[in-house]
Amino acid sequence: MSILVNEGTRLMVQGITGREATMMVADMQAHGSSIVAGVTPGKGGLRVHGVPVYDTVDQAVQRAGVKAGNRGWDAALNAVEMASLMAALG
């Protein structure tokens, strides 16, 4: 599956507070990407390189205006829900 991104694409980064993602966000911004939200469960309210962090994908979509009208959205939401469930089960 291809992901098409252009100058007008508003991006969301999952796991944005992790070491690799934090470095990648800085690189993406340096190359002109418009990153409008990040998601890391339990880290909502933080900022990474000026990007607001939310606890859930749903919050990011509602508050940052991320468009999520594709199958990637469903996959991302399912992944976050599964991670939350796995964490709850220990």
Side-chain angles (χ1 to χ4, degrees):
M1 177 174 94
S2 296
I3 299 174
L4 303 176
V5 178
N6 63 31
E7 316 67 56
T9 304
R10 297 165 51 87
L11 301 170
M12 172 182 60
V13 176
Q14 289 189 260
I16 192 168
T17 59
R19 183 186 61 203
E20 298 295 324
T22 299
M23 291 187 304
M24 193 60 68
V25 165
D27 192 43
M28 291 167 68
Q29 287 175 324
H31 287 88
S33 294
S34 177
I35 303 171
V36 298
V39 176
T40 300
K43 303 273 179 120
L46 298 177
R47 287 189 170 268
V48 173
H49 299 295
V51 177
V53 178
Y54 299 97
D55 290 315
T56 67
V57 171
D58 192 43
Q59 288 175 350
V61 169
Q62 291 175 8
R63 298 178 188 167
V66 177
K67 291 184 181 177
N70 61 37
R71 289 176 29 205
W73 156 253
D74 293 330
L77 184 59
N78 288 336
V80 170
E81 289 173 351
M82 182 58 72
S84 296
L85 176 62
M86 295 299 287
L89 293 176

